[in-house]
Amino acid sequence: MASHAQLASHFFGDLLDSIIVDVASECHRISRLGLDRNLEEEEEELKLSAQARERVADPNNSGEANSKYVVDIFGQTHPPIASDIFECMNCHRPIMAGRFAPHLEKCMGKGRKARLKGTRSSTAAQNRHSRGSPVSTYSPYPNSTSTNQLSNGTSGVAGEEYSNGTFPEP
Amino acid sequence: MTTGNPSYTNPKPCKHLADYKLNHGLSGYKSLQKHLKSAPHGKTSVGKPSSTTPRCISCDGFQDIERAELYCCVCCDQVYDPDFDKAVMSKHIMGITGDKNGDESIGKRLVKRRRLGSGVVEELVDSKISKQLISMRDRRAKSCYPLGLRGLNNLGNTCFMNSVLQALLHAPPFRNYFLSGGHNHENCRKRSVDRLCLSCDIDVVFSAAFSGDRAPYSPAQFLYSWWQHSANLASYEQKDAHEFFISVLDGIHEKEVKSSNQNRENGDCQCIAHGVFSGLLRSDVTCMTCGFTSTTFDPCVDISLDLDTSNFPPKNTANKSIKPDANSSMSTLLGCLDLFTRQEKLGSDSKLYCQNCQERQDSAKQMSIKRLPLVLCLHIKRFEHSPVTKMSRKIDRYLQFPLSLDMTPYLSSSVVRNRFGNRIFAFESGESDISAEFEIFAAVTHAGTLESGHYVNFLRLRNQWYKCDDAWINEVDEGMVRASQCYMMFYVQKSLYQKANEDWSHLPISPRRNMFGQ
């Protein structure tokens, strides 16, 4: 009569065999029916990526990834803040490209919704907690700093919505 | 490699099995069907083999009872037969749903539409662009840089916008549509009362990028228009490139819907945004008690993937060297896609109602791709939210990604078939014949933290990589792109990528000439 230990061991062996054959059978079928992925291509891609990472991490490399370029491929050079000047389509004042977004934000009234189909009611806007003064579109100081300093890279005030009911001409 | 059709290699039939079938037909399979038992998770086995079951002793074959597989004693190998698999699957389907058609009925409910997007785009390209290409070739001096390659000025923390715009400018079907006059902003403004039209503004950006002028362009008008469309995103703050991408597609779609009074059905929408980027996802929820599966389809313009971090050894096992055998601990795009299409057991606290059992049961859910788009945008969720600290942080983990991507294993046909043990059986009917092979053409990378960072786009044009860092365009080698940390990857169908390379390969350009009258 087999002991408990022997029986347990026997059952375990059966279970293990069953699991192994499960996997083997599945793989066999996949392989025979041509369903296996193109493993060679995948491995090649992995190898190329690994090599690339090694090269980039190598301190002997000139740190190409982060180096500042002197000229671009067209032989041009560009200032850190874009210096082109063009006319703001909202207030028609000349604005420097690199400062256009912060200007436009104030110019448009900070996050204002300008859809033709109805705006938020002005009571709703007034009820919102507001930081800093509401900016009208006729501010004489387009580049003045508001009380909400939004320098490059820091998170600022979440967009608060005002509506003053006018729509900019495109 | 074979084409993207998820078809089987028909295995060479075992001679002995073939002989058996000649002599005994399929009666053996039919009587076996009675004894087949299907488990809810899809695997089939043979129950209670009795002496009445023809064990094919005459042909020296028999079955693997636990797995319902055929084994030929003469060949000493497991053998496969479409008729046998069909018998297994038929029994399975009838057993589970109680409805004779089962998966087939799901097949019939599918919308079998051809991708109109690609059809329209291809026509436009052929008729109009080829004429323009020929005329350009005649008039211009040679230049070796691809058309449309132009820096975009940062207008103040707008790198999120620039990086996505570069990808849109060079997505072949999207580019072809605009360049061949798909959306003429003069006509549009005449026709519509609503002066806001994101497509018009995109058209202007295309004209500027492809004008031949190489000085960086300021997409100020576009920013202005986009802010008017997305009031909730309109602020000077750092913005997320993926959010921007979705909102631009939405803006294009909305205007299209308004002007043509179409039904808002994204799945069949013919606007250029959906025509290029929209695919269809399939979601299967399976009852773990009876196996009944309910299937739903949802359109999508991109796929957001969680990083596959599950294989990682818990603590630091010093995986500093990047040898090939460290693969198991490196995140890969294919690993993320595997994770996306894995069958996921829903917790016991989220039991779903099973129509068959008529009560809430433990369920499992599995996603797959029913229909691939022309341009596939893959977005990596590089943020994790801690419920403890209530803070989100960015995951900087490196993600390996291929330049050539075969999406076949993630298609519904492959995923569903795999769930049922890869039987030789037509699981999916009505699948479109879009190929599953893709090539990457743009990679948006992000460096920095969630609150502040910088986006850079790498473009792959004519198999040369360019780094587009706002106004700066520089040539870089493939290795730098492979080693970078990607946030969004844009893949286009291989045939469209190859065609795009051919279209522009002999194109000379002059910096002074502007062909679109801008």
Side-chain angles (χ1 to χ4, degrees):
Chain A
M1 207 44 193
S3 73
H4 281 141
Q6 279 176 318
L7 277 175
S9 172
H10 175 76
F11 289 141
F12 177 75
D14 271 358
L15 283 172
L16 192 56
D17 281 348
S18 182
I19 292 169
I20 293 171
V21 175
D22 265 350
V23 177
S25 179
E26 206 179 295
C27 292
H28 188 277
R29 178 178 265 274
I30 286 174
S31 174
R32 276 302 160 84
L33 300 186
L35 300 175
D36 40 2
R37 300 202 317 218
N38 199 330
L39 290 173
E40 284 157 13
E41 272 184 21
E42 284 178 28
E43 274 170 18
E44 179 65 21
E45 291 270 7
L46 284 171
K47 195 176 72 165
L48 288 172
S49 291
Q51 286 170 353
R53 290 186 78 200
E54 269 176 23
R55 260 181 290 137
V56 167
D58 183 356
N60 292 333
N61 268 344
S62 55
E64 191 191 284
N66 296 322
S67 63
K68 282 287 173 210
Y69 295 101
V70 178
V71 286
D72 65 16
I73 51 168
F74 309 118
Q76 303 164 129
T77 189
H78 313 286
I81 298 183
S83 54
D84 287 5
I85 304 218
F86 48 78
E87 190 183 287
C88 170
M89 52 286 302
N90 204 31
C91 64
H92 305 293
R93 261 191 298 278
I95 308 291
M96 194 164 92
R99 304 201 201 283
F100 179 70
H103 160 79
L104 191 64
E105 188 187 25
K106 293 183 215 121
C107 194
M108 282 171 77
K110 216 175 14 154
R112 164 186 138 202
K113 211 163 163 178
R115 286 181 198 255
L116 288 177
K117 284 202 176 128
T119 54
R120 287 169 176 258
S121 72
S122 49
T123 30
Q126 281 156 18
N127 288 340
R128 286 179 187 276
H129 174 69
S130 62
R131 298 195 219 176
S133 44
V135 179
S136 82
T137 53
Y138 302 106
S139 159
Y141 308 108
N143 292 325
S144 65
T145 53
S146 74
T147 51
N148 305 315
Q149 283 283 358
L150 292 171
S151 58
N152 215 354
T154 56
S155 70
V157 177
E160 319 222 35
E161 291 168 296
Y162 297 78
S163 124
N164 59 20
T166 59
F167 302 101
E169 289 303 301
Chain B
M1 199 164 157
T2 55
T3 60
N5 251 339
S7 57
Y8 305 87
T9 309
N10 267 332
K12 269 209 213 93
C14 154
K15 178 176 165 310
H16 315 99
L17 183 60
D19 285 345
Y20 166 81
K21 279 165 70 176
L22 275 175
N23 293 330
H24 301 267
L26 301 177
S27 57
Y29 293 167
K30 288 208 166 38
S31 59
L32 200 63
Q33 261 192 335
K34 291 192 222 103
H35 300 278
L36 288 174
K37 283 199 306 199
S38 319
H41 55 71
K43 303 294 189 289
T44 307
S45 60
V46 182
K48 228 176 46 144
S50 62
S51 54
T52 59
T53 319
R55 279 183 29 128
C56 313
I57 301 168
S58 51
C59 82
D60 292 337
F62 64 90
Q63 310 84 30
D64 175 343
I65 291 161
E66 274 176 67
R67 292 162 200 87
E69 296 280 17
L70 294 172
Y71 185 88
C72 177
C73 296
V74 183
C75 298
C76 295
D77 200 3
Q78 198 157 287
V79 295
Y80 304 100
D81 179 25
D83 291 321
F84 179 69
D85 279 352
K86 188 169 169 189
V88 168
M89 285 316 303
S90 306
K91 173 65 185 287
H92 179 86
I93 286 168
M94 288 193 291
I96 283 189
T97 62
D99 152 37
K100 293 226 170 34
N101 295 327
D103 258 348
E104 286 174 23
S105 69
I106 293 171
K108 285 180 198 135
R109 285 203 296 273
L110 297 172
V111 175
K112 293 185 201 184
R113 275 191 199 218
R114 294 222 55 178
R115 304 296 329 273
L116 289 172
S118 67
V120 167
V121 159
E122 291 308 309
E123 273 172 39
L124 283 175
V125 172
D126 291 341
S127 61
K128 293 188 186 173
I129 271 220
S130 50
K131 290 187 198 137
Q132 288 172 342
L133 292 183
I134 291 168
S135 62
M136 284 171 69
R137 225 175 269 143
D138 296 336
R139 289 181 221 156
R140 294 167 196 216
K142 283 197 204 282
S143 166
C144 56
Y145 295 117
L147 260 193
L149 196 56
R150 188 174 179 186
L152 298 172
N153 279 325
N154 186 316
L155 306 176
N157 270 353
T158 61
C159 53
F160 71 92
M161 174 176 81
N162 289 346
S163 53
V164 172
L165 279 180
Q166 291 286 14
L168 292 177
L169 281 168
H170 297 276
F174 199 75
R175 177 201 72 184
N176 294 348
Y177 174 81
F178 282 98
L179 289 184
S180 55
H183 188 100
N184 184 315
H185 57 265
E186 280 161 43
N187 291 346
C188 179
R189 296 229 159 108
K190 281 190 214 134
R191 268 187 287 125
S192 90
V193 176
D194 182 355
R195 311 279 295 270
L196 276 174
C197 176
L198 223 52
S199 296
C200 283
D201 300 301
I202 291 177
D203 195 40
V204 169
V205 177
F206 267 99
S207 300
F210 286 83
S211 64
D213 189 347
R214 300 300 196 173
Y217 172 72
S218 296
Q221 171 66 48
F222 182 84
L223 179 67
Y224 180 60
S225 295
W226 175 66
W227 268 0
Q228 289 176 291
H229 164 76
S230 318
N232 59 324
L233 295 174
S235 83
Y236 172 64
E237 277 176 60
Q238 293 266 324
K239 280 290 160 256
D240 177 72
H242 179 245
E243 246 176 47
F244 170 74
F245 173 67
I246 300 295
S247 109
V248 166
L249 295 189
D250 186 61
I252 295 172
H253 167 77
E254 250 187 52
K255 183 63 198 293
E256 178 83 15
V257 162
K258 259 193 248 174
S259 51
S260 57
N261 294 320
Q262 265 179 28
N263 237 349
R264 261 178 172 265
E265 276 174 41
N266 294 355
D268 298 348
C269 178
Q270 295 176 32
C271 75
I272 189 59
H274 287 112
V276 172
F277 293 99
S278 179
L280 202 62
L281 290 180
R282 169 175 168 156
S283 168
D284 291 322
V285 176
T286 306
C287 169
M288 294 319 288
T289 306
C290 71
F292 178 79
T293 302
S294 101
T295 301
T296 51
F297 294 94
D298 289 296
C300 63
V301 293
D302 66 347
I303 303 181
S304 288
L305 300 169
D306 286 300
L307 278 166
D308 64 333
T309 50
S310 46
N311 304 339
F312 302 140
K315 282 299 174 184
N316 179 20
T317 41
N319 255 323
K320 295 196 199 96
S321 64
I322 310 160
K323 292 197 290 273
D325 58 20
N327 285 348
S328 57
S329 56
M330 178 173 68
S331 284
T332 64
L333 183 64
L334 297 187
C336 295
L337 287 165
D338 279 337
L339 187 62
F340 179 72
T341 53
R342 193 172 298 169
Q343 191 175 51
E344 186 194 318
K345 289 190 169 50
L346 305 175
S348 303
D349 49 346
S350 35
K351 294 194 190 204
L352 297 177
Y353 182 77
C354 171
Q355 279 170 265
N356 209 27
C357 303
Q358 306 254 311
E359 59 176 306
R360 284 180 177 270
Q361 302 282 20
D362 280 329
S363 316
K365 175 171 158 176
Q366 189 168 37
M367 302 293 301
S368 57
I369 302 171
K370 172 63 195 160
R371 188 182 67 212
L372 287 163
L374 298 180
V375 175
L376 177 65
C377 171
L378 297 175
H379 164 238
I380 307 300
K381 295 199 257 184
R382 282 189 174 281
F383 35 84
E384 61 184 3
H385 186 80
S386 159
V388 175
T389 63
K390 299 266 187 285
M391 300 244 292
S392 292
R393 69 174 191 94
K394 185 182 168 209
I395 308 171
D396 276 312
R397 171 158 232 106
Y398 172 72
L399 178 76
Q400 188 277 337
F401 59 98
L403 302 192
S404 301
L405 176 64
D406 184 357
M407 291 294 287
T408 308
Y410 315 107
L411 292 174
S412 296
S413 52
S414 306
V415 168
V416 172
R417 178 189 63 209
N418 180 264
R419 193 160 79 219
F420 290 110
N422 291 314
R423 298 280 169 184
I424 306 170
F425 185 74
F427 286 96
E428 283 278 307
S429 53
E431 260 196 356
S432 76
D433 29 40
I434 286 184
S435 150
E437 284 182 56
F438 287 79
E439 289 289 319
I440 195 171
F441 68 93
V444 172
T445 63
H446 181 267
T449 64
L450 271 183
E451 296 79 27
S452 87
H454 186 55
Y455 285 101
V456 163
N457 186 325
F458 291 100
L459 286 179
R460 186 183 182 208
L461 306 171
R462 292 193 243 144
N463 291 320
Q464 167 67 49
W465 283 97
Y466 298 91
K467 178 179 179 185
C468 305
D469 184 350
D470 289 324
W472 292 86
I473 310 270
N474 288 88
E475 269 181 9
V476 292
D477 70 58
E478 184 183 290
M480 186 197 287
V481 184
R482 282 186 184 278
S484 61
Q485 192 199 103
C486 283
Y487 178 55
M488 289 170 77
M489 285 154 283
F490 291 85
Y491 287 86
V492 66
Q493 293 202 356
K494 186 167 175 175
S495 55
L496 296 178
Y497 176 73
Q498 287 168 337
K499 190 154 194 284
N501 287 351
E502 284 160 20
D503 282 344
W504 308 99
S505 60
H506 303 295
L507 221 45
I509 11 154
S510 149
R512 266 171 279 285
R513 191 72 188 230
N514 182 320
M515 74 184 204
F516 291 102
Q518 289 297 310

